Amino acid sequence: MFTMTLRKAGFAAATALVLSLTATACGGDSGAGDDKINIGIKFDQPGLGLKTQDGEYTGFDVDVATYVAKELGYDEKDIVWKQAPSAERENMIANGDVKFIVATYTINDERKQRVDFAGPYFLAHQDLLVRADDDTVRTEDDLNSSEMKLCSVTGSTSAQNVNKKFAPKANLINYGGYSECLTGLENKAVDALTTDDSILAGYAAQEEHQGKFKLAGLNLSDEPYGIGLKKGDTELRKQINDALKKMVDEGAWEEAAKKHFGPADYEYEPAPEITETN
């Protein structure tokens, strides 16, 4: 009887240990422990979300995400940055790989079927980046031709706009990242890179690209950037919205915008009104 009791006690202890280890391994919704927070950003968008060669993270979206995280109780050292490609953002949120995503993430009805948004915190407009000596694109009508090779990124609203709205006849080439499009533009494999003007300005302002490219100056769409989060998490959305309002009121939003967009001579819009509240 005594031996059986010991066996039962040992089994119970082992079971408790396994359950404890499993819980630790699973972590929380953010994909990190309570003392860490996983945040999705872009790694290849200078001026917005860029992972530098020395492993640092910089850009307007990075500053916004860092400010929001601080308001949620996390220091900068507690942030684990996760690369969030355009086509994977909804999956990363739904799977709990990140707590939220700040990655030039345009708010639209299709995406809101899978995730919720806080914000918007920035308003961009779709445009084109062309080679500096190229004057063939002057109006929106110039794009809608089978001879026009436009490059964009898989899963982006820019690519969807090309197909559905202003250039259905164009030869749309989708790559996994904007850097690949930029290489194609420089090598004349494509005629133009189309995405948000904020992203294009960042690329054009890079030291190695200065003088090579220019924005076409076409205001093709409105792109309100939101912070993506798990659908139904109204508490987190309110916390993020409160943080964004505080960032604007304190002047930190304007400071970050000038820091990252000023060198590109990009005339950005003022901080937009927060509308994603329910």
Side-chain angles (χ1 to χ4, degrees):
M1 185 72 171
F2 181 70
T3 303
M4 185 177 295
T5 301
L6 284 177
R7 285 176 180 172
K8 286 183 179 179
F11 177 79
T15 301
L17 178 60
V18 170
L19 290 174
S20 174
L21 291 173
T22 301
T24 302
C26 290
D29 286 343
S30 66
D34 292 339
D35 58 337
K36 297 288 183 181
I37 182 170
N38 288 354
I39 301 176
I41 58 170
K42 291 295 179 67
F43 280 14
D44 65 344
Q45 291 180 352
L48 287 154
L50 182 69
K51 182 179 181 180
T52 64
Q53 291 184 344
D54 57 0
E56 298 297 317
Y57 300 90
T58 180
F60 181 75
D61 280 356
V62 175
D63 284 1
V64 170
T66 301
Y67 189 97
V68 170
K70 183 179 179 181
E71 291 300 305
L72 294 177
Y74 296 92
D75 292 331
E76 189 171 353
K77 63 179 175 58
D78 300 326
I79 299 173
V80 179
W81 299 111
K82 297 289 185 178
Q83 186 172 16
S86 295
E88 293 299 321
R89 289 176 296 201
E90 286 84 40
N91 290 333
M92 290 178 70
I93 293 170
N95 295 338
D97 298 330
V98 292
K99 190 71 171 180
F100 57 83
I101 287 180
V102 190
T104 59
Y105 202 1
T106 297
I107 301 167
N108 63 34
D109 291 338
E110 182 178 350
R111 288 170 175 166
K112 285 166 72 171
Q113 292 178 12
R114 294 191 63 194
V115 302
D116 280 342
F117 287 97
Y121 64 92
F122 192 83
L123 180 61
H125 306 282
Q126 186 169 351
D127 200 354
L128 298 177
L129 192 70
V130 296
R131 290 180 288 275
D133 59 355
D134 187 354
D135 292 320
T136 59
V137 180
R138 294 186 177 88
T139 69
E140 184 176 328
D141 292 338
D142 295 331
L143 305 177
N144 199 22
S145 167
S146 59
E147 296 180 0
M148 174 63 65
K149 289 180 287 186
L150 294 179
C151 189
S152 195
V153 169
T154 304
S156 68
T157 55
S158 302
Q160 295 168 20
N161 287 341
V162 169
N163 279 329
K164 297 178 181 179
K165 296 181 179 180
F166 54 78
K169 294 180 181 178
N171 182 9
L172 179 64
I173 301 169
N174 283 313
Y175 286 141
Y178 293 108
S179 299
E180 298 169 67
C181 282
L182 200 68
T183 300
L185 181 60
E186 187 171 9
N187 296 337
K188 298 186 178 182
V190 298
D191 299 311
L193 161 57
T194 182
T195 188
D196 305 343
D197 51 7
S198 57
I199 299 172
L200 298 176
Y203 282 123
Q206 282 187 296
E207 186 175 350
E208 63 268 31
H209 297 145
Q210 287 179 3
K212 294 181 180 179
F213 309 109
K214 65 181 179 181
L215 272 71
L218 303 180
N219 192 337
L220 297 170
S221 67
D222 290 339
E223 305 294 333
Y225 293 165
I227 295 180
L229 59 137
K230 203 155 196 174
K231 194 163 183 65
D233 196 341
T234 55
E235 181 180 355
L236 179 59
R237 177 167 55 190
K238 183 182 184 307
Q239 291 174 332
I240 294 175
N241 279 338
D242 288 345
L244 292 174
K245 290 175 185 175
K246 185 177 178 181
M247 186 177 186
V248 173
D249 292 342
E250 286 186 346
W253 186 97
E254 183 67 24
E255 182 180 337
K258 285 181 179 179
K259 174 184 174 183
H260 296 293
F261 298 133
D265 292 326
Y266 169 51
E267 296 182 5
Y268 54 87
E269 299 271 3
E273 178 185 355
I274 291 175
T275 57
E276 296 299 313
T277 56
N278 54 49

